[in-house]
Amino acid sequence: MAHILLRHRDVENIHKLDVYRANGGYEGLKKALTEMTPAEVIDVVRASGLRGRGGAGFPTGIKWGFIPKDAEEVYILINTDESETGTFKDRELSEKNPHQVIEGAIIAAYAVGAKRIYNYFRGEFMDAGYAMEEAVQECYANGLLGENILGTDFSCDFVCHYGAGAYICGEETALIKSLEGERGQPWSKPPFPAIEGLYSKPTVVNNTETMANVPQILVNGAEWYTSMGTEKSTGPKIVCMSGHVENPGNYEVIMGTTYRELIEMAGGMRDGKAFKALLPSGGSGPVITADALDAPLTYEGLDAHNSVMGSASVIVMDETTDMVWAAQKMIHFFHHESCGKCTPCREGTFWMEKVLHRLMNGQGTEKDIETLNSVAAQMKGRTLCALGEFAINPVLSTIRLFPEEYKAKVKNSQSEDWEKALATQ
Amino acid sequence: MIADKYAEEIEGILARFPHKKSAVLPLMHLAQREYGYMSEDAMREVAGILDLDPTHVLSLAGFYSLFHEEPTGKYVLEICNDLACALRGADEFVEMVCRKLDIPLGGTTEDGLFTVKGVMCLGACDRAPMLQYNLKFAEHLDEEKFDNLIAYLREEAASGEEPPSVVEKIAAYAKK
C-alpha cells in the first residue's frame, strides 16, 4: 500500500517542492484557502477524528477550535522536540518529507488565524531542521509562505527554532517557555496554551506527524480518513520499531494493526530469540507481555493491559533481557530529564534510580521493592506535568509483571558484598 | 566576538521573534560554536546582545545538555546508551570507544581532540550503536566504522580545514 505519511518511500525527491507539487502537494492548502472558511477547515479536521500523534491523542480539530475567534495574535507551534527513548519518526518526516509538515502547519495557521508558525526542533536535530529550512525557503520563493499565500489575503511566516538538549521541552508548556528564552519547565495548567500560550497569546501546539496528516484530509475529506482505522482511532500511524527485532525502523500502518503484526513487519525477533516484553510508548508507557500482542495499535487498544499506545515507539525485548536492568535504564533517563521544578518528580526519580542502581549492583534489600512502590505512589497524580507520571510506568509495570526478577536481585544481594555494603553505610 | 563575526546572522535571528529573549538559544549555539564551550565571556556576550542578566544565560547553560560548561575536546562524541540503543549493544560500544581512546566516559583525549559522553536518546534507535559528533549523526556503528570515523576526524583536524558546522549553516538562513 502506498504511504500516506512516509511518502518519500514511494516518491523519489519528494522533499523538493516541484516533486511534491507534481504529486498533489499543496492542493490541500489551495483548497483550504480558496474554497473553505477557517471554520470549515476546523470542521473537516474534527470530523476526520485525527488525534495528536505525539502521544497524548487529543483530537486535533477540537484543539484548533479552542482558539478564540477574535484573537489578534495567534501562534502555531510544531513540536519536533522528539526526545522520547525509542522515537524517531518526526526526524524522518522532517528530513525526507518536509513539505507535507509545512503544508499541514499552514493549513492549521489559516484555520486558527495564526500569522506565524514556529517549528521547535530538538537541538540535536539541526540536520533535520536544515532540510526543513531548505523546504521553507522554496515555499517563500514560490508564494506558499510570506505575504498573500497563493494569491489570497492570507499571509503567514514559518520559522525553524532549535532547542539545546532537554526531553522536557516536548511537553507543550515547557516548549513554550523554552521558545520564550527560558529554561524549559512546564507550568501547571490552566491556563491552557489555546488561551495563554507563546508570549501569553493563544497558541496551538501540534506534533510533527499530526501536521503531516492534515493536507490529505483536506483533499480527500473526512470520510476517506475515517474509513481507515477504528471508530476512536482513525487514519495511519507511524510506528517506530526498535530493540530486539530483525529490522528496526519506522513502519507506517493503519490504526488497528496488532503488535504481533508490527513485530512481523519488523522482520520478527532478532536471531530467532523468544519475545519477552515490549514498551509500547518509548519509556513512558507500562511494559506489556506476550498476552497483549494481539491487541490493536489504537489509542484505546491497550486499556485492558494497563498500558497505552502513546507515540507508538515500540521497544521490543527478547528473552535475554533483564527487566530490572531495563527499568533502571528508563528511570536513569527520567531522572536525567526531570526539569527539577516540582518536588515529587525531581526527588522521586532520584530515589527510584538510587534504589534500582543498588538492586542492580548486588546491594538490594528486602525493602527495596516496597520502597519503589511507595515512591511511585507519592509521585502519581502529584507532578506538574506528565514526565513524573510517565517515569513510574516502566518501574511499576516491571515489578507487576516480573516480580520474580526483582526478588532474585534481592536474593542475590544476600552475599558478602551485600553485607559489606550495609556495613559501610 | 560573535556580535561582529555573525552580525548579519544575529540581526536575522532577532528579526524572527517579537521578543528578543527568544533568540537566546540560537545565540548560545553560535557562541559555543565560536568559543568551544559556554565560557564566562561567551555567556556575558550573549547576555549583552540581548540585554539579559548573565546569570540567566548561565542558568540556561546548566539546564540544556548541549551546552558545555567546561572546555571540551575539538570533537564531542555523544553516544546514546539509552535503553533502545543499549538493547543493540550501545553499552558495549561505549566501553570499546573508551578503551580505544584510552579515556573514561566524560573524559577528553590528551591531544585535546575527543571528548566522550554518554547521552540520552538521540532519535536514531533503529541505527544503534550510534553517536553524534558536533551535532552530526554517525549511525550503524561497529568497531571498524568507529576507527574510520576517528581516522577521518584526525585527518580533518590535522588539515586545519573544517567544513562549516550545521550551526553556522542554519544561522546563515536567518540572514536577511
Side-chain angles (χ1 to χ4, degrees):
Chain A
M1 198 191 71
H3 292 87
I4 294 166
L5 304 168
L6 301 172
R7 292 190 70 204
H8 52 280
R9 295 188 181 183
D10 306 321
V11 184
E12 211 180 330
N13 291 326
I14 201 163
H15 64 283
K16 292 184 175 149
L17 180 59
D18 54 344
V19 178
Y20 182 68
R21 288 190 98 165
N23 287 276
Y26 291 103
E27 288 301 318
L29 176 66
K30 190 175 164 195
K31 186 170 177 183
L33 292 186
T34 59
E35 295 172 31
M36 299 167 80
T37 64
E40 284 169 345
V41 173
I42 293 178
D43 281 345
V44 70
V45 172
R46 194 185 283 138
S48 76
L50 172 63
R51 294 169 65 176
R53 298 303 198 230
F58 195 85
T60 306
I62 293 178
K63 198 183 236 185
W64 293 3
F66 284 153
I67 298 294
K69 300 289 167 279
D70 53 353
E72 280 184 15
E73 199 178 330
V74 181
Y75 291 100
I76 297 284
L77 306 187
I78 309 173
N79 185 343
T80 317
D81 190 57
E82 186 161 71
S83 306
E84 178 75 47
T85 302
T87 313
F88 40 86
K89 63 190 179 62
D90 299 333
R91 179 182 160 205
E92 181 170 347
L93 280 174
S94 303
E95 283 177 353
K96 311 284 189 191
N97 192 11
H99 280 294
Q100 195 162 324
V101 178
I102 296 169
E103 183 181 2
I106 306 173
I107 293 168
Y110 173 69
V112 301
K115 293 188 179 57
R116 184 166 293 178
I117 299 158
Y118 287 106
N119 190 353
Y120 186 104
F121 289 88
R122 61 181 299 186
E124 296 88 341
F125 278 7
M126 282 196 197
D127 273 339
Y130 187 71
M132 189 162 283
E133 301 251 18
E134 291 189 322
V136 167
Q137 294 301 317
E138 285 186 299
C139 288
Y140 272 106
N142 288 279
L144 291 160
L145 278 171
E147 297 295 315
N148 303 110
I149 293 174
L150 291 170
T152 66
D153 291 342
F154 182 65
S155 303
C156 186
D157 284 312
F158 191 109
V159 173
C160 294
H161 186 74
Y162 303 88
Y167 166 70
I168 188 60
C169 292
E171 198 282 338
E172 60 180 1
T173 62
L175 188 153
I176 290 168
K177 283 314 222 189
S178 180
L179 186 43
E180 288 176 350
E182 304 286 346
R183 281 165 294 169
Q185 294 181 311
W187 71 71
S188 176
K189 294 181 271 194
F192 288 90
I195 309 302
E196 275 183 49
L198 183 64
Y199 310 125
S200 298
K201 305 295 181 192
T203 301
V204 169
V205 187
N206 281 149
N207 171 257
T208 317
E209 183 188 351
T210 309
M211 288 303 193
N213 275 272
V214 172
Q216 287 163 82
I217 291 174
L218 271 281
V219 172
N220 300 320
E223 270 182 38
W224 164 78
Y225 200 79
T226 56
S227 73
M228 295 178 281
T230 65
E231 191 191 340
K232 289 179 182 164
S233 303
T234 55
K237 179 81 190 82
I238 303 174
V239 183
C240 312
M241 298 295 293
S242 67
H244 291 147
V245 288
E246 224 22 272
N247 304 313
N250 285 319
Y251 293 85
E252 181 180 321
V253 298
I254 299 300
M255 291 270 201
T257 306
T258 67
Y259 286 90
R260 191 183 303 281
E261 288 166 332
L262 289 170
I263 293 173
E264 279 163 22
M265 287 175 88
M269 297 301 294
R270 193 175 66 168
D271 301 333
K273 294 250 170 41
F275 171 84
K276 183 171 186 176
L278 65 78
L279 282 154
S281 178
S284 294
V287 164
I288 58 173
T289 46
D291 61 317
L293 282 181
D294 291 313
L297 178 98
T298 57
Y299 290 102
E300 64 282 5
L302 288 175
D303 285 356
H305 301 278
N306 301 304
S307 194
V308 291
M309 176 182 87
S311 56
S313 315
V314 179
I315 305 175
V316 179
M317 293 171 274
D318 70 19
E319 56 189 325
T320 65
T321 315
D322 176 339
M323 298 309 290
V324 182
W325 169 82
Q328 185 206 7
K329 277 276 181 196
M330 280 323 309
I331 205 70
H332 173 67
F333 173 85
F334 286 114
H335 173 222
H336 185 271
E337 298 299 337
S338 174
C339 82
K341 185 170 177 177
C342 76
T343 313
C345 178
R346 183 184 65 238
E347 298 298 317
T349 53
F350 171 82
W351 286 106
M352 290 218 291
E353 182 175 9
K354 216 171 162 65
V355 173
L356 279 161
H357 186 77
R358 71 174 178 234
L359 272 171
M360 281 304 294
N361 285 282
Q363 296 165 1
T365 73
E366 294 278 351
K367 278 192 162 176
D368 280 349
I369 298 167
E370 201 183 305
T371 305
L372 288 171
N373 280 317
S374 155
V375 173
Q378 292 172 70
M379 291 168 71
K380 194 168 173 53
R382 293 183 168 88
T383 57
L384 260 180
C385 78
L387 189 148
E389 203 82 8
F390 292 158
I392 64 177
N393 282 332
V395 179
L396 288 186
S397 59
T398 49
I399 292 176
R400 176 166 50 83
L401 294 165
F402 302 96
E404 70 288 354
E405 294 195 24
Y406 280 85
K407 282 179 197 146
K409 290 274 188 268
V410 174
K411 202 175 160 212
N412 292 339
S413 298
Q414 311 295 341
S415 63
E416 235 177 287
D417 281 348
W418 177 71
E419 281 170 26
K420 217 185 285 169
L422 271 188
T424 55
Q425 266 177 359
Chain B
M1 298 285 281
I2 61 166
D4 301 328
K5 183 170 176 183
Y6 298 109
E8 280 180 72
E9 286 89 343
I10 291 173
E11 198 186 330
I13 290 169
L14 290 174
R16 292 177 149 192
F17 307 100
H19 302 280
K20 62 182 175 182
K21 195 176 191 179
S22 286
V24 67
L25 292 184
L27 263 54
M28 287 173 76
H29 281 301
L30 272 180
Q32 179 156 290
R33 168 70 191 155
E34 184 65 13
Y35 302 112
Y37 74 109
M38 292 311 295
S39 65
E40 204 181 309
D41 286 346
M43 292 190 276
R44 284 187 191 283
E45 198 185 333
V46 170
I49 295 168
L50 299 174
D51 293 326
L52 295 171
D53 193 297
T55 57
H56 179 70
V57 182
L58 174 65
S59 83
L60 300 182
F63 186 85
Y64 293 99
S65 62
L66 280 180
F67 297 126
H68 313 304
E69 293 172 272
E70 302 286 335
T72 65
K74 182 176 172 64
Y75 300 102
V76 182
L77 309 179
E78 305 202 302
I79 309 173
C80 172
N81 57 351
D82 232 337
L83 177 62
C85 280
L87 291 170
R88 302 187 76 83
D91 284 335
E92 295 77 11
F93 182 75
V94 168
E95 270 177 39
M96 186 270 291
V97 168
C98 290
R99 195 179 62 239
K100 289 225 150 181
L101 295 176
D102 196 23
I103 46 171
L105 201 55
T108 300
T109 52
E110 267 180 30
D111 58 9
L113 278 185
F114 302 106
T115 298
V116 177
K117 286 184 167 187
V119 300
M120 301 296 108
C121 187
L122 290 169
C125 326
D126 54 336
R127 305 166 197 192
M130 57 77 58
L131 59 80
Q132 274 201 321
Y133 61 100
N134 300 4
L135 298 173
K136 286 200 213 39
F137 282 99
E139 302 168 323
H140 293 298
L141 293 173
D142 54 23
E143 191 165 344
E144 191 188 340
K145 285 182 189 158
F146 176 74
D147 287 345
N148 291 343
L149 174 69
I150 292 297
Y152 167 79
L153 293 178
R154 281 191 199 283
E155 215 169 283
E156 183 181 277
S159 75
E161 281 172 35
E162 217 178 317
S165 82
V166 69
V167 172
E168 288 169 299
K169 279 157 65 180
I170 279 172
Y173 265 134
K175 278 191 202 173
K176 277 183 181 169

